[in-house]
Amino acid sequence: MASELASILVPLGVAGAVFAALCAIVAAVAIMRGAAGLAGGAVGLWIPGALLSSTASFASQWTPLLVSGVALVAMLVIGAVARRVVNAGEPARQAAREARAAAIVDAVTLADGAAPAAPRTTKPATTTGAQPALAG
């Protein structure tokens, strides 16, 4: 009887572990792209996959449950590290975007026959953090 039960529960647990690992991969990609809703949804779908992988434990097979747990932790860490790497290059890309936009505006202005605009700076304006007074 136990052998027959194991022949059903172990493949079911393996299928759950595969589903949980796929959801963990989707969560990592979502974290890399900064899509918090998709990451939350993927982790939310990972939970039933992990529960399904636990069915193999009734046949003393703990590998599917361990694989699903390790996959989620590994993918969340990989996604977070990749997101930090992507964000590290963001200021340089933003400055390049602003320079291209300024060049386009200057080219259009010169084509219209007007004088070129004053040189632009790419540094953000510093503020004191104070709220402006309300005009009454």
mmCIF file of all heavy atoms in Angstrom, residues 17-74:
data_model
loop_
_atom_site.group_PDB
_atom_site.id
_atom_site.type_symbol
_atom_site.label_atom_id
_atom_site.label_comp_id
_atom_site.label_asym_id
_atom_site.label_seq_id
_atom_site.Cartn_x
_atom_site.Cartn_y
_atom_site.Cartn_z
ATOM 1 N N ALA A 17 7.594 20.821 -7.327
ATOM 2 C CA ALA A 17 8.909 21.458 -7.217
ATOM 3 C C ALA A 17 9.283 22.155 -8.519
ATOM 4 O O ALA A 17 9.850 23.257 -8.501
ATOM 5 C CB ALA A 17 9.965 20.416 -6.844
ATOM 6 N N VAL A 18 8.966 21.556 -9.644
ATOM 7 C CA VAL A 18 9.247 22.190 -10.943
ATOM 8 C C VAL A 18 8.433 23.462 -11.087
ATOM 9 O O VAL A 18 8.948 24.512 -11.499
ATOM 10 C CB VAL A 18 8.963 21.202 -12.106
ATOM 11 C CG1 VAL A 18 8.973 21.907 -13.442
ATOM 12 C CG2 VAL A 18 9.973 20.072 -12.076
ATOM 13 N N PHE A 19 7.154 23.411 -10.735
ATOM 14 C CA PHE A 19 6.296 24.595 -10.802
ATOM 15 C C PHE A 19 6.810 25.689 -9.865
ATOM 16 O O PHE A 19 6.858 26.868 -10.234
ATOM 17 C CB PHE A 19 4.857 24.216 -10.451
ATOM 18 C CG PHE A 19 3.916 25.381 -10.463
ATOM 19 C CD1 PHE A 19 3.550 25.975 -11.651
ATOM 20 C CD2 PHE A 19 3.406 25.883 -9.276
ATOM 21 C CE1 PHE A 19 2.688 27.052 -11.668
ATOM 22 C CE2 PHE A 19 2.547 26.960 -9.282
ATOM 23 C CZ PHE A 19 2.181 27.561 -10.475
ATOM 24 N N ALA A 20 7.219 25.312 -8.665
ATOM 25 C CA ALA A 20 7.740 26.286 -7.706
ATOM 26 C C ALA A 20 9.039 26.902 -8.212
ATOM 27 O O ALA A 20 9.260 28.113 -8.049
ATOM 28 C CB ALA A 20 7.957 25.614 -6.349
ATOM 29 N N ALA A 21 9.891 26.115 -8.828
ATOM 30 C CA ALA A 21 11.150 26.652 -9.363
ATOM 31 C C ALA A 21 10.882 27.617 -10.511
ATOM 32 O O ALA A 21 11.536 28.668 -10.614
ATOM 33 C CB ALA A 21 12.055 25.512 -9.826
ATOM 34 N N LEU A 22 9.910 27.306 -11.371
ATOM 35 C CA LEU A 22 9.554 28.234 -12.455
ATOM 36 C C LEU A 22 9.006 29.547 -11.899
ATOM 37 O O LEU A 22 9.332 30.626 -12.403
ATOM 38 C CB LEU A 22 8.538 27.591 -13.390
ATOM 39 C CG LEU A 22 9.058 26.453 -14.264
ATOM 40 C CD1 LEU A 22 7.921 25.811 -15.041
ATOM 41 C CD2 LEU A 22 10.126 26.965 -15.208
ATOM 42 N N CYS A 23 8.195 29.467 -10.870
ATOM 43 C CA CYS A 23 7.676 30.685 -10.236
ATOM 44 C C CYS A 23 8.809 31.485 -9.594
ATOM 45 O O CYS A 23 8.797 32.721 -9.636
ATOM 46 C CB CYS A 23 6.622 30.329 -9.195
ATOM 47 S SG CYS A 23 5.090 29.733 -9.901
ATOM 48 N N ALA A 24 9.798 30.812 -9.038
ATOM 49 C CA ALA A 24 10.941 31.509 -8.445
ATOM 50 C C ALA A 24 11.751 32.225 -9.520
ATOM 51 O O ALA A 24 12.226 33.347 -9.311
ATOM 52 C CB ALA A 24 11.819 30.515 -7.678
ATOM 53 N N ILE A 25 11.891 31.615 -10.678
ATOM 54 C CA ILE A 25 12.613 32.260 -11.786
ATOM 55 C C ILE A 25 11.858 33.495 -12.259
ATOM 56 O O ILE A 25 12.450 34.548 -12.507
ATOM 57 C CB ILE A 25 12.848 31.255 -12.936
ATOM 58 C CG1 ILE A 25 13.843 30.185 -12.490
ATOM 59 C CG2 ILE A 25 13.334 31.957 -14.192
ATOM 60 C CD1 ILE A 25 13.952 29.007 -13.436
ATOM 61 N N VAL A 26 10.544 33.389 -12.371
ATOM 62 C CA VAL A 26 9.731 34.548 -12.764
ATOM 63 C C VAL A 26 9.873 35.656 -11.724
ATOM 64 O O VAL A 26 9.980 36.840 -12.073
ATOM 65 C CB VAL A 26 8.255 34.137 -12.958
ATOM 66 C CG1 VAL A 26 7.357 35.355 -13.114
ATOM 67 C CG2 VAL A 26 8.117 33.226 -14.155
ATOM 68 N N ALA A 27 9.911 35.305 -10.452
ATOM 69 C CA ALA A 27 10.081 36.308 -9.394
ATOM 70 C C ALA A 27 11.434 36.997 -9.521
ATOM 71 O O ALA A 27 11.528 38.213 -9.343
ATOM 72 C CB ALA A 27 9.944 35.652 -8.022
ATOM 73 N N ALA A 28 12.479 36.252 -9.850
ATOM 74 C CA ALA A 28 13.810 36.861 -9.997
ATOM 75 C C ALA A 28 13.839 37.832 -11.165
ATOM 76 O O ALA A 28 14.381 38.938 -11.057
ATOM 77 C CB ALA A 28 14.868 35.770 -10.195
ATOM 78 N N VAL A 29 13.245 37.447 -12.279
ATOM 79 C CA VAL A 29 13.207 38.334 -13.440
ATOM 80 C C VAL A 29 12.391 39.586 -13.121
ATOM 81 O O VAL A 29 12.755 40.701 -13.505
ATOM 82 C CB VAL A 29 12.647 37.586 -14.671
ATOM 83 C CG1 VAL A 29 12.383 38.533 -15.820
ATOM 84 C CG2 VAL A 29 13.608 36.484 -15.088
ATOM 85 N N ALA A 30 11.298 39.409 -12.400
ATOM 86 C CA ALA A 30 10.471 40.559 -12.034
ATOM 87 C C ALA A 30 11.217 41.509 -11.106
ATOM 88 O O ALA A 30 11.107 42.728 -11.246
ATOM 89 C CB ALA A 30 9.183 40.078 -11.369
ATOM 90 N N ILE A 31 11.985 40.976 -10.185
ATOM 91 C CA ILE A 31 12.770 41.821 -9.291
ATOM 92 C C ILE A 31 13.833 42.559 -10.082
ATOM 93 O O ILE A 31 14.079 43.745 -9.857
ATOM 94 C CB ILE A 31 13.384 40.986 -8.151
ATOM 95 C CG1 ILE A 31 12.278 40.536 -7.203
ATOM 96 C CG2 ILE A 31 14.437 41.777 -7.398
ATOM 97 C CD1 ILE A 31 12.731 39.547 -6.168
ATOM 98 N N MET A 32 14.468 41.885 -11.038
ATOM 99 C CA MET A 32 15.480 42.542 -11.867
ATOM 100 C C MET A 32 14.884 43.714 -12.636
ATOM 101 O O MET A 32 15.527 44.742 -12.810
ATOM 102 C CB MET A 32 16.070 41.549 -12.870
ATOM 103 C CG MET A 32 17.069 40.609 -12.296
ATOM 104 S SD MET A 32 17.795 39.621 -13.593
ATOM 105 C CE MET A 32 17.296 38.001 -13.092
ATOM 106 N N ARG A 33 13.668 43.553 -13.117
ATOM 107 C CA ARG A 33 13.021 44.602 -13.899
ATOM 108 C C ARG A 33 12.335 45.644 -13.026
ATOM 109 O O ARG A 33 11.864 46.648 -13.529
ATOM 110 C CB ARG A 33 12.010 43.985 -14.858
ATOM 111 C CG ARG A 33 12.664 43.089 -15.888
ATOM 112 C CD ARG A 33 11.672 42.582 -16.880
ATOM 113 N NE ARG A 33 10.918 43.664 -17.491
ATOM 114 C CZ ARG A 33 11.197 44.189 -18.678
ATOM 115 N NH1 ARG A 33 12.205 43.707 -19.368
ATOM 116 N NH2 ARG A 33 10.461 45.150 -19.176
ATOM 117 N N GLY A 34 12.232 45.396 -11.735
ATOM 118 C CA GLY A 34 11.603 46.341 -10.828
ATOM 119 C C GLY A 34 10.089 46.251 -10.822
ATOM 120 O O GLY A 34 9.410 47.193 -10.446
ATOM 121 N N ALA A 35 9.542 45.127 -11.217
ATOM 122 C CA ALA A 35 8.093 44.931 -11.240
ATOM 123 C C ALA A 35 7.665 44.234 -9.957
ATOM 124 O O ALA A 35 7.628 43.000 -9.871
ATOM 125 C CB ALA A 35 7.702 44.108 -12.459
ATOM 126 N N ALA A 36 7.343 45.046 -8.949
ATOM 127 C CA ALA A 36 7.023 44.494 -7.637
ATOM 128 C C ALA A 36 5.744 43.665 -7.662
ATOM 129 O O ALA A 36 5.655 42.631 -6.987
ATOM 130 C CB ALA A 36 6.899 45.613 -6.619
ATOM 131 N N GLY A 37 4.756 44.082 -8.427
ATOM 132 C CA GLY A 37 3.506 43.327 -8.493
ATOM 133 C C GLY A 37 3.693 41.947 -9.085
ATOM 134 O O GLY A 37 3.129 40.967 -8.588
ATOM 135 N N LEU A 38 4.479 41.877 -10.145
ATOM 136 C CA LEU A 38 4.742 40.582 -10.767
ATOM 137 C C LEU A 38 5.558 39.691 -9.830
ATOM 138 O O LEU A 38 5.312 38.484 -9.746
ATOM 139 C CB LEU A 38 5.471 40.765 -12.101
ATOM 140 C CG LEU A 38 5.806 39.502 -12.874
ATOM 141 C CD1 LEU A 38 4.541 38.722 -13.221
ATOM 142 C CD2 LEU A 38 6.578 39.843 -14.126
ATOM 143 N N ALA A 39 6.508 40.282 -9.123
ATOM 144 C CA ALA A 39 7.306 39.498 -8.176
ATOM 145 C C ALA A 39 6.425 38.943 -7.064
ATOM 146 O O ALA A 39 6.547 37.779 -6.671
ATOM 147 C CB ALA A 39 8.434 40.349 -7.596
ATOM 148 N N GLY A 40 5.518 39.774 -6.560
ATOM 149 C CA GLY A 40 4.606 39.305 -5.518
ATOM 150 C C GLY A 40 3.687 38.212 -6.016
ATOM 151 O O GLY A 40 3.406 37.244 -5.303
ATOM 152 N N GLY A 41 3.206 38.358 -7.240
ATOM 153 C CA GLY A 41 2.349 37.323 -7.818
ATOM 154 C C GLY A 41 3.088 36.017 -8.021
ATOM 155 O O GLY A 41 2.540 34.942 -7.784
ATOM 156 N N ALA A 42 4.340 36.117 -8.459
ATOM 157 C CA ALA A 42 5.128 34.900 -8.675
ATOM 158 C C ALA A 42 5.407 34.186 -7.359
ATOM 159 O O ALA A 42 5.329 32.957 -7.281
ATOM 160 C CB ALA A 42 6.438 35.243 -9.382
ATOM 161 N N VAL A 43 5.715 34.961 -6.321
ATOM 162 C CA VAL A 43 5.947 34.337 -5.009
ATOM 163 C C VAL A 43 4.635 33.777 -4.468
ATOM 164 O O VAL A 43 4.616 32.717 -3.833
ATOM 165 C CB VAL A 43 6.588 35.338 -4.034
ATOM 166 C CG1 VAL A 43 6.658 34.767 -2.632
ATOM 167 C CG2 VAL A 43 7.988 35.709 -4.500
ATOM 168 N N GLY A 44 3.531 34.473 -4.743
ATOM 169 C CA GLY A 44 2.231 33.956 -4.327
ATOM 170 C C GLY A 44 1.885 32.646 -5.009
ATOM 171 O O GLY A 44 1.252 31.773 -4.408
ATOM 172 N N LEU A 45 2.279 32.473 -6.270
ATOM 173 C CA LEU A 45 2.059 31.202 -6.957
ATOM 174 C C LEU A 45 3.096 30.155 -6.562
ATOM 175 O O LEU A 45 2.858 28.954 -6.731
ATOM 176 C CB LEU A 45 2.089 31.400 -8.471
ATOM 177 C CG LEU A 45 0.857 32.082 -9.051
ATOM 178 C CD1 LEU A 45 1.059 32.319 -10.545
ATOM 179 C CD2 LEU A 45 -0.378 31.237 -8.810
ATOM 180 N N TRP A 46 4.242 30.604 -6.051
ATOM 181 C CA TRP A 46 5.257 29.659 -5.588
ATOM 182 C C TRP A 46 4.733 28.863 -4.393
ATOM 183 O O TRP A 46 5.058 27.679 -4.255
ATOM 184 C CB TRP A 46 6.531 30.417 -5.205
ATOM 185 C CG TRP A 46 7.559 29.558 -4.574
ATOM 186 C CD1 TRP A 46 8.508 28.820 -5.196
ATOM 187 C CD2 TRP A 46 7.729 29.315 -3.161
ATOM 188 N NE1 TRP A 46 9.257 28.143 -4.278
ATOM 189 C CE2 TRP A 46 8.807 28.430 -3.029
ATOM 190 C CE3 TRP A 46 7.079 29.767 -2.029
ATOM 191 C CZ2 TRP A 46 9.239 27.997 -1.783
ATOM 192 C CZ3 TRP A 46 7.519 29.331 -0.794
ATOM 193 C CH2 TRP A 46 8.584 28.455 -0.677
ATOM 194 N N ILE A 47 3.926 29.498 -3.563
ATOM 195 C CA ILE A 47 3.456 28.850 -2.329
ATOM 196 C C ILE A 47 2.679 27.557 -2.624
ATOM 197 O O ILE A 47 2.992 26.514 -2.032
ATOM 198 C CB ILE A 47 2.637 29.841 -1.486
ATOM 199 C CG1 ILE A 47 3.564 30.951 -0.975
ATOM 200 C CG2 ILE A 47 1.952 29.146 -0.312
ATOM 201 C CD1 ILE A 47 2.842 32.110 -0.332
ATOM 202 N N PRO A 48 1.686 27.564 -3.530
ATOM 203 C CA PRO A 48 1.035 26.278 -3.819
ATOM 204 C C PRO A 48 1.980 25.241 -4.427
ATOM 205 O O PRO A 48 1.834 24.049 -4.178
ATOM 206 C CB PRO A 48 -0.074 26.641 -4.810
ATOM 207 C CG PRO A 48 -0.303 28.083 -4.644
ATOM 208 C CD PRO A 48 1.000 28.664 -4.199
ATOM 209 N N GLY A 49 2.947 25.707 -5.230
ATOM 210 C CA GLY A 49 3.922 24.773 -5.779
ATOM 211 C C GLY A 49 4.758 24.129 -4.689
ATOM 212 O O GLY A 49 5.044 22.924 -4.736
ATOM 213 N N ALA A 50 5.146 24.931 -3.689
ATOM 214 C CA ALA A 50 5.923 24.381 -2.577
ATOM 215 C C ALA A 50 5.067 23.420 -1.752
ATOM 216 O O ALA A 50 5.554 22.382 -1.292
ATOM 217 C CB ALA A 50 6.456 25.511 -1.710
ATOM 218 N N LEU A 51 3.807 23.764 -1.564
ATOM 219 C CA LEU A 51 2.930 22.850 -0.832
ATOM 220 C C LEU A 51 2.731 21.546 -1.603
ATOM 221 O O LEU A 51 2.694 20.469 -1.008
ATOM 222 C CB LEU A 51 1.576 23.513 -0.568
ATOM 223 C CG LEU A 51 1.582 24.603 0.497
ATOM 224 C CD1 LEU A 51 0.225 25.282 0.561
ATOM 225 C CD2 LEU A 51 1.948 24.026 1.847
ATOM 226 N N LEU A 52 2.624 21.663 -2.909
ATOM 227 C CA LEU A 52 2.481 20.456 -3.723
ATOM 228 C C LEU A 52 3.757 19.621 -3.674
ATOM 229 O O LEU A 52 3.698 18.385 -3.672
ATOM 230 C CB LEU A 52 2.153 20.848 -5.162
ATOM 231 C CG LEU A 52 1.696 19.751 -6.097
ATOM 232 C CD1 LEU A 52 0.426 19.097 -5.565
ATOM 233 C CD2 LEU A 52 1.440 20.320 -7.471
ATOM 234 N N SER A 53 4.908 20.288 -3.614
ATOM 235 C CA SER A 53 6.164 19.532 -3.542
ATOM 236 C C SER A 53 6.318 18.824 -2.206
ATOM 237 O O SER A 53 7.076 17.856 -2.096
ATOM 238 C CB SER A 53 7.355 20.458 -3.791
ATOM 239 O OG SER A 53 7.549 21.320 -2.696
ATOM 240 N N SER A 54 5.602 19.290 -1.195
ATOM 241 C CA SER A 54 5.710 18.633 0.109
ATOM 242 C C SER A 54 4.992 17.282 0.136
ATOM 243 O O SER A 54 5.174 16.513 1.082
ATOM 244 C CB SER A 54 5.156 19.543 1.214
ATOM 245 O OG SER A 54 3.751 19.649 1.095
ATOM 246 N N THR A 55 4.176 16.998 -0.879
ATOM 247 C CA THR A 55 3.505 15.693 -0.886
ATOM 248 C C THR A 55 4.498 14.542 -1.004
ATOM 249 O O THR A 55 4.211 13.442 -0.529
ATOM 250 C CB THR A 55 2.484 15.600 -2.032
ATOM 251 O OG1 THR A 55 3.158 15.772 -3.269
ATOM 252 C CG2 THR A 55 1.384 16.630 -1.873
ATOM 253 N N ALA A 56 5.644 14.794 -1.609
ATOM 254 C CA ALA A 56 6.654 13.730 -1.713
ATOM 255 C C ALA A 56 7.229 13.374 -0.350
ATOM 256 O O ALA A 56 7.761 12.271 -0.178
ATOM 257 C CB ALA A 56 7.762 14.153 -2.661
ATOM 258 N N SER A 57 7.115 14.280 0.611
ATOM 259 C CA SER A 57 7.659 13.980 1.940
ATOM 260 C C SER A 57 6.884 12.860 2.629
ATOM 261 O O SER A 57 7.407 12.218 3.532
ATOM 262 C CB SER A 57 7.660 15.235 2.802
ATOM 263 O OG SER A 57 6.334 15.639 3.080
ATOM 264 N N PHE A 58 5.642 12.603 2.217
ATOM 265 C CA PHE A 58 4.886 11.497 2.797
ATOM 266 C C PHE A 58 5.478 10.157 2.398
ATOM 267 O O PHE A 58 5.207 9.145 3.039
ATOM 268 C CB PHE A 58 3.417 11.579 2.385
ATOM 269 C CG PHE A 58 2.701 12.739 2.994
ATOM 270 C CD1 PHE A 58 2.358 13.831 2.210
ATOM 271 C CD2 PHE A 58 2.398 12.759 4.337
ATOM 272 C CE1 PHE A 58 1.706 14.913 2.765
ATOM 273 C CE2 PHE A 58 1.745 13.845 4.904
ATOM 274 C CZ PHE A 58 1.394 14.930 4.110
ATOM 275 N N ALA A 59 6.269 10.144 1.342
ATOM 276 C CA ALA A 59 6.971 8.932 0.915
ATOM 277 C C ALA A 59 8.451 9.014 1.297
ATOM 278 O O ALA A 59 9.284 8.331 0.721
ATOM 279 C CB ALA A 59 6.825 8.743 -0.585
ATOM 280 N N SER A 60 8.772 9.872 2.255
ATOM 281 C CA SER A 60 10.141 10.076 2.761
ATOM 282 C C SER A 60 11.087 10.594 1.687
ATOM 283 O O SER A 60 12.282 10.296 1.704
ATOM 284 C CB SER A 60 10.701 8.792 3.376
ATOM 285 O OG SER A 60 9.914 8.412 4.477
ATOM 286 N N GLN A 61 10.582 11.361 0.751
ATOM 287 C CA GLN A 61 11.404 12.011 -0.272
ATOM 288 C C GLN A 61 11.344 13.518 -0.026
ATOM 289 O O GLN A 61 10.358 14.166 -0.343
ATOM 290 C CB GLN A 61 10.876 11.681 -1.677
ATOM 291 C CG GLN A 61 10.971 10.243 -2.050
ATOM 292 C CD GLN A 61 12.418 9.804 -2.198
ATOM 293 O OE1 GLN A 61 13.254 10.542 -2.700
ATOM 294 N NE2 GLN A 61 12.710 8.597 -1.745
ATOM 295 N N TRP A 62 12.416 14.064 0.537
ATOM 296 C CA TRP A 62 12.440 15.474 0.916
ATOM 297 C C TRP A 62 13.076 16.351 -0.154
ATOM 298 O O TRP A 62 13.034 17.567 -0.067
ATOM 299 C CB TRP A 62 13.184 15.636 2.244
ATOM 300 C CG TRP A 62 12.430 15.011 3.365
ATOM 301 C CD1 TRP A 62 12.588 13.754 3.868
ATOM 302 C CD2 TRP A 62 11.354 15.597 4.087
ATOM 303 N NE1 TRP A 62 11.693 13.524 4.866
ATOM 304 C CE2 TRP A 62 10.928 14.644 5.034
ATOM 305 C CE3 TRP A 62 10.715 16.826 4.034
ATOM 306 C CZ2 TRP A 62 9.888 14.896 5.921
ATOM 307 C CZ3 TRP A 62 9.680 17.077 4.926
ATOM 308 C CH2 TRP A 62 9.275 16.112 5.852
ATOM 309 N N THR A 63 13.652 15.760 -1.167
ATOM 310 C CA THR A 63 14.354 16.522 -2.197
ATOM 311 C C THR A 63 13.463 17.527 -2.924
ATOM 312 O O THR A 63 13.876 18.682 -3.087
ATOM 313 C CB THR A 63 15.025 15.568 -3.195
ATOM 314 O OG1 THR A 63 15.841 14.642 -2.483
ATOM 315 C CG2 THR A 63 15.853 16.332 -4.194
ATOM 316 N N PRO A 64 12.253 17.194 -3.353
ATOM 317 C CA PRO A 64 11.441 18.199 -4.045
ATOM 318 C C PRO A 64 11.124 19.418 -3.184
ATOM 319 O O PRO A 64 11.163 20.554 -3.665
ATOM 320 C CB PRO A 64 10.164 17.439 -4.412
ATOM 321 C CG PRO A 64 10.580 16.018 -4.485
ATOM 322 C CD PRO A 64 11.627 15.870 -3.431
ATOM 323 N N LEU A 65 10.837 19.208 -1.921
ATOM 324 C CA LEU A 65 10.554 20.329 -1.028
ATOM 325 C C LEU A 65 11.798 21.193 -0.825
ATOM 326 O O LEU A 65 11.718 22.432 -0.859
ATOM 327 C CB LEU A 65 10.033 19.822 0.316
ATOM 328 C CG LEU A 65 9.631 20.891 1.327
ATOM 329 C CD1 LEU A 65 8.513 21.757 0.775
ATOM 330 C CD2 LEU A 65 9.218 20.249 2.640
ATOM 331 N N LEU A 66 12.946 20.563 -0.666
ATOM 332 C CA LEU A 66 14.188 21.324 -0.512
ATOM 333 C C LEU A 66 14.531 22.091 -1.784
ATOM 334 O O LEU A 66 14.972 23.240 -1.722
ATOM 335 C CB LEU A 66 15.337 20.384 -0.134
ATOM 336 C CG LEU A 66 15.258 19.777 1.267
ATOM 337 C CD1 LEU A 66 16.360 18.745 1.464
ATOM 338 C CD2 LEU A 66 15.352 20.859 2.316
ATOM 339 N N VAL A 67 14.309 21.473 -2.933
ATOM 340 C CA VAL A 67 14.602 22.146 -4.209
ATOM 341 C C VAL A 67 13.731 23.383 -4.371
ATOM 342 O O VAL A 67 14.208 24.446 -4.771
ATOM 343 C CB VAL A 67 14.415 21.169 -5.389
ATOM 344 C CG1 VAL A 67 14.350 21.901 -6.715
ATOM 345 C CG2 VAL A 67 15.539 20.150 -5.404
ATOM 346 N N SER A 68 12.450 23.279 -4.044
ATOM 347 C CA SER A 68 11.566 24.431 -4.202
ATOM 348 C C SER A 68 11.950 25.559 -3.248
ATOM 349 O O SER A 68 11.933 26.734 -3.630
ATOM 350 C CB SER A 68 10.107 24.022 -4.006
ATOM 351 O OG SER A 68 9.884 23.573 -2.682
ATOM 352 N N GLY A 69 12.326 25.242 -2.028
ATOM 353 C CA GLY A 69 12.741 26.278 -1.074
ATOM 354 C C GLY A 69 14.053 26.934 -1.453
ATOM 355 O O GLY A 69 14.180 28.163 -1.423
ATOM 356 N N VAL A 70 15.021 26.134 -1.840
ATOM 357 C CA VAL A 70 16.322 26.664 -2.235
ATOM 358 C C VAL A 70 16.196 27.489 -3.517
ATOM 359 O O VAL A 70 16.860 28.522 -3.665
ATOM 360 C CB VAL A 70 17.348 25.519 -2.390
ATOM 361 C CG1 VAL A 70 18.623 25.989 -3.054
ATOM 362 C CG2 VAL A 70 17.655 24.910 -1.030
ATOM 363 N N ALA A 71 15.331 27.056 -4.431
ATOM 364 C CA ALA A 71 15.151 27.800 -5.680
ATOM 365 C C ALA A 71 14.610 29.195 -5.405
ATOM 366 O O ALA A 71 15.083 30.180 -5.993
ATOM 367 C CB ALA A 71 14.209 27.045 -6.611
ATOM 368 N N LEU A 72 13.644 29.309 -4.494
ATOM 369 C CA LEU A 72 13.093 30.633 -4.199
ATOM 370 C C LEU A 72 14.136 31.536 -3.563
ATOM 371 O O LEU A 72 14.320 32.677 -3.994
ATOM 372 C CB LEU A 72 11.872 30.528 -3.297
ATOM 373 C CG LEU A 72 11.239 31.880 -2.955
ATOM 374 C CD1 LEU A 72 10.631 32.502 -4.203
ATOM 375 C CD2 LEU A 72 10.212 31.752 -1.867
ATOM 376 N N VAL A 73 14.836 31.037 -2.581
ATOM 377 C CA VAL A 73 15.846 31.861 -1.907
ATOM 378 C C VAL A 73 16.939 32.277 -2.892
ATOM 379 O O VAL A 73 17.328 33.454 -2.945
ATOM 380 C CB VAL A 73 16.446 31.094 -0.703
ATOM 381 C CG1 VAL A 73 17.630 31.836 -0.122
ATOM 382 C CG2 VAL A 73 15.376 30.880 0.362
ATOM 383 N N ALA A 74 17.418 31.344 -3.696
ATOM 384 C CA ALA A 74 18.484 31.659 -4.647
ATOM 385 C C ALA A 74 18.023 32.680 -5.681
ATOM 386 O O ALA A 74 18.742 33.639 -5.992
ATOM 387 C CB ALA A 74 18.957 30.384 -5.342
#
